[in-house]
C-alpha cells in the first residue's frame, strides 16, 4: 500500500513504507483461536440443557465481544500504523479514531541506532532509535527490516549533509565572486 501522495511535499518520494512487524498480531490470533475453540466447546456442553438457546446466545455474545476487543482492535491498530521514510523526512502515523503523528526532517536527525534481541533477529525486526537535534531520542518498536531501514536513514542523512555542504560552498563562492567585481 503506497503512502498517500497528497501528504508529501514537492520533490519528495517515499523510500520505505512499513507497518509494525506482524509479530504484534500473535497474541490476538491466539486469543481468537482460544475464544472460538472455547465457545464451540461450551456450546456443545450446553446442547442438552433445556435453556440451550439462551446459553448459545450468551456464549456467542461473549465470544464476539472478546474477539472484537482482543483481536479486531489490535488488527486495525496494526493496519493503521505507518512508518514511512521519504527522501526528506521520517513520518510515523498511528491511530484509528484519533490519529497522532510525528515528522522528523532528515536534516534534524543527529544519529540513528537500532537494537534487537535474538528473537527479533530471527523474526527480522527490532527497535529503531532516532535522535534529533532538539528532542529526546525517539524509539520505534517492531520495525520490520530494522537494519536495512537504519542503513537507508544513515545514507539519507549523508546525502542531506552533502547537499547542505554544497549549498554553503556555493554561497561562499557567490560572496567571494561578488567581492572580485
Amino acid at each position: 500500500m503506497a503512502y498517500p501522495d497528497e501528504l508529501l511535499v514537492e520533490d519528495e518520494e517515499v523510500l520505505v513504507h512499513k507497518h509494525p512487524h506482524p509479530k504484534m498480531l500473535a497474541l490476538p490470533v491466539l486469543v481468537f483461536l482460544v475464544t472460538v475453540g472455547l465457545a464451540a466447546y461450551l456450546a456443545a456442553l450446553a446442547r442438552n440443557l433445556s435453556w440451550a438457546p439462551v446459553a448459545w446466545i450468551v456464549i456467542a455474545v461473549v465470544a464476539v465481544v472478546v474477539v472484537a476487543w482482543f483481536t479486531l482492535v489490535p488488527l486495525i491498530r496494526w493496519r493503521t500504523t505507518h512508518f514511512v521514510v521519504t527522501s526528506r523526512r521520517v513520518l510515523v502515523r498511528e491511530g484509528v479514531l484519533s490519529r497522532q503523528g510525528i515528522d522528523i526532517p532528515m536534516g534534524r536527525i543527529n544519529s540513528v541506532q537500532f537494537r534487537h534481541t535474538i528473537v527479533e533477529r530471527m523474526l527480522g525486526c527490532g527497535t529503531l532509535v532516532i535522535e534529533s537535534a532538539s528532542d529526546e531520542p525517539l524509539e520505534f518498536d517492531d520495525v520490520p527490516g530494522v537494519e536495512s531501514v537504519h542503513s537507508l536513514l544513515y545514507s539519507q542523512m549523508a546525502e542531506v549533509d552533502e547537499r547542505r555542504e554544497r549549498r554553503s560552498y556555493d554561497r561562499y563562492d557567490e560572496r567571494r565572486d561578488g567581492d572580485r567585481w
Side-chain angles (χ1 to χ4, degrees):
M1 170 194 215
Y3 195 72
D5 289 336
E6 66 269 6
L7 298 178
L8 302 177
V9 297
E10 188 178 322
D11 296 333
E12 183 177 26
E13 64 179 274
V14 173
L15 304 175
V16 172
H17 177 207
K18 297 181 181 260
H19 296 285
H21 194 274
K23 79 173 187 171
M24 71 181 292
L25 298 175
L27 187 59
V29 167
L30 182 64
V31 167
F32 174 78
L33 294 173
V34 168
T35 302
V36 169
L38 187 60
Y41 176 73
L42 292 175
L45 285 179
R47 76 172 179 257
N48 294 330
L49 299 174
S50 60
W51 45 277
V54 173
W56 289 338
I57 291 171
V58 169
I59 291 169
V61 167
V62 169
V64 166
V65 168
V66 168
V67 165
W69 189 257
F70 293 105
T71 302
L72 221 60
V73 169
L75 177 66
I76 292 169
R77 188 176 301 125
W78 172 81
R79 190 70 181 119
T80 59
T81 299
H82 302 271
F83 180 82
V84 181
V85 178
T86 72
S87 53
R88 294 182 175 217
R89 58 191 166 149
V90 176
L91 302 97
V92 177
R93 301 285 186 268
E94 52 191 6
V96 180
L97 298 176
S98 67
R99 302 273 296 160
Q100 65 182 20
I102 186 166
D103 294 8
I104 307 168
M106 287 293 176
R108 305 274 295 173
I109 296 175
N110 289 340
S111 68
V112 181
Q113 303 169 16
F114 72 90
R115 65 174 177 269
H116 44 198
T117 64
I118 191 152
V119 173
E120 289 174 328
R121 287 179 67 188
M122 289 189 293
L123 294 174
C125 65
T127 299
L128 188 69
V129 182
I130 298 176
E131 186 177 325
S132 65
S134 62
D135 297 327
E136 293 181 18
L138 299 169
E139 294 191 8
F140 303 104
D141 298 323
D142 298 328
V143 176
V146 70
E147 288 187 56
S148 63
V149 173
H150 172 266
S151 297
L152 176 68
L153 280 173
Y154 186 78
S155 68
Q156 285 300 114
M157 288 169 45
E159 276 185 37
V160 166
D161 288 344
E162 189 177 298
R163 283 193 304 259
R164 188 180 297 142
E165 229 174 83
R166 255 187 272 134
R167 279 193 306 251
S168 112
Y169 284 133
D170 290 345
R171 279 184 282 195
Y172 174 75
D173 287 343
E174 286 173 10
R175 279 183 277 171
R176 200 178 71 191
D177 290 343
D179 291 342
R180 286 186 192 161
W181 300 103

